Amino acid sequence: MSDEPRYLDDYDDDVVYPDAIPFLLMHVAALGAFWSGVTTQAVVIAVVLYVVRMLAVTGGYHRYFSHRTFKTSRVGQFMLAFLCQSSAQRGAIWWAAKHRAHHKHSDTPLDPHSPAQRGFWFAHVGWIFAPRTQEADYGLVPDLTKYPELRWLDRQKYLPAMVLAVAVWALAGWPGLFIGFFLSTVVLYHGTFFINSLAHMTGRQRYITGDDSRNSWWLALITFGEGWHNNHHYFQSSMRQGFRWYEIDITYYVFRVLAWMRVVWDLKEPTASVIAGERRLARGVVDKVAWQLAEHFSIEAIVDHARESWPQTVTLDDLGELVEAVRARMDDEWERFQLPHVPSVSEVRAQALELYRDSPSLDDVVARARAMIVEAVSLRLLDEPDGIAFAT
């Protein structure tokens, strides 16, 4: 079990990585269709395997193992993991650990696959070739590692996919193998990876989440509901990701049927207050959103104006008191120092309303963002070497 991985701070672009070889070979093998030819049977198998395994990826890897949004039996859990791994996306424990790391560090330098940090191609497929981003922190999944059968299956990461490939070949020959298995697996890869990349780049943000997650109806269609990504980042513990009646979520519908059959149970759903956006943001999300908001104000410009027009009666000792006050969250203290050109609370709030929808936590975000701005300006004026810098 590895320590928490390091990504962009010491990243090396080493693409010679053994675990990336199966991914490459899968793409090459799909070209075998030009040799084997195309049969109706092979195409039907490809479609069926895409549908079944996309449901396994979305309902199993993601909503069950990563977020525990419903319950099933221990036998059902193992069978679900086996089905998930028939997609050749590695072990269920590994997949869940990587996904939980994504949510923990979403769109920050520690996110394994953020387009905001390294662009579309890295978020889509490039991270697969990077040793740093392939390391998984198994400390994030103690609820999964306690099961020896899941640990065993996680080590046999490609066994289920190999079993499926042999079965398809036995049933439908070479066209079945190259089209039914290999080609459908490649299409499944990229459908899944679109959520890592495009779902953080295109679409609409309904909720404040502190990251770039977005809702996209067409991504939701090809991934059976995963395209309602902003909904998911806002309330991760929900089995249902299409919050509104018109947001098609095929995975949710299928698992509702399985719940009716008692194969799974206790499906978690968003409450009316969650859907309405009335849920207060966690402290970590408030800090992330506040940081984003603070970045829209030029600290350098404020510092330059302050140096030019600072009242001579204010001393560095006074400024030091201000820094300590802000750090202690004494929100009223900075007003008596009258820092020149620091945006007012109403100005910060106006900027926030341009960027985000209103939220019960918006006042907290605004107050935190203004505190960050004041502290950054104060530290810069004090010439502290560890002063905070926002992008201008």
Side-chain angles (χ1 to χ4, degrees), residues 94-326:
W94 179 90
W95 205 105
K98 296 305 299 178
H99 190 73
R100 292 183 191 182
H102 162 66
H103 276 277
K104 183 178 180 181
H105 305 292
S106 185
D107 289 319
T108 71
L110 289 178
D111 189 335
H113 40 64
S114 169
Q117 297 297 326
R118 294 187 63 87
F120 168 81
W121 286 112
F122 183 84
H124 192 69
V125 295
W127 70 282
I128 295 170
F129 299 91
R132 292 283 186 264
T133 52
Q134 289 300 295
E135 298 172 6
D137 180 8
Y138 280 65
L140 295 174
V141 286
D143 54 316
L144 302 179
T145 55
K146 68 182 181 180
Y147 294 107
E149 66 273 20
L150 289 183
R151 295 198 305 272
W152 175 84
L153 189 60
D154 193 68
R155 292 191 297 271
Q156 320 306 320
K157 51 193 171 186
Y158 297 121
L159 175 63
M162 293 170 63
V163 170
L164 178 62
V166 171
V168 170
W169 174 76
L171 175 66
W174 293 110
L177 179 64
F178 290 125
I179 298 170
F181 177 76
F182 286 119
L183 183 58
S184 71
T185 301
V186 169
V187 175
L188 181 66
Y189 277 156
H190 294 284
T192 303
F193 300 160
F194 276 145
I195 302 304
N196 297 341
S197 55
L198 289 181
H200 283 253
M201 299 177 69
T202 182
R204 177 171 173 262
Q205 284 194 310
R206 173 182 290 147
Y207 303 109
I208 299 176
T209 55
D211 53 41
D212 295 330
S213 60
R214 299 171 186 275
N215 287 338
S216 170
W217 64 269
W218 68 270
L219 283 176
L221 289 180
I222 67 174
T223 60
F224 300 169
E226 299 296 290
W228 307 117
H229 203 51
N230 182 243
N231 292 355
H232 169 60
H233 272 249
Y234 181 66
F235 192 61
Q236 300 168 26
S237 61
S238 175
M239 172 61 193
R240 175 184 166 197
Q241 295 188 6
F243 287 0
R244 309 298 172 89
W245 66 267
Y246 52 84
E247 293 177 344
I248 298 173
D249 187 349
I250 295 173
T251 299
Y252 170 70
Y253 307 149
V254 169
F255 276 80
R256 286 298 302 174
V257 173
L258 293 177
W260 177 76
M261 298 168 62
R262 297 301 297 167
V263 175
V264 301
W265 55 89
D266 289 352
L267 276 63
K268 299 177 183 176
E269 301 200 28
T271 63
S273 62
V274 167
I275 295 174
E278 297 170 353
R279 175 174 172 266
R280 297 193 68 84
L281 304 178
R283 173 61 187 277
V285 177
V286 169
D287 286 344
K288 286 180 66 176
V289 178
W291 189 279
Q292 292 173 346
L293 178 57
E295 287 183 325
H296 284 78
F297 296 88
S298 172
I299 301 303
E300 293 296 338
I302 297 172
V303 169
D304 290 343
H305 286 304
R307 284 171 177 157
E308 293 173 2
S309 57
W310 189 277
Q312 296 302 313
T313 56
V314 177
T315 67
L316 289 181
D317 288 340
D318 293 330
L319 192 57
E321 290 180 37
L322 170 59
V323 173
E324 293 305 317
V326 172

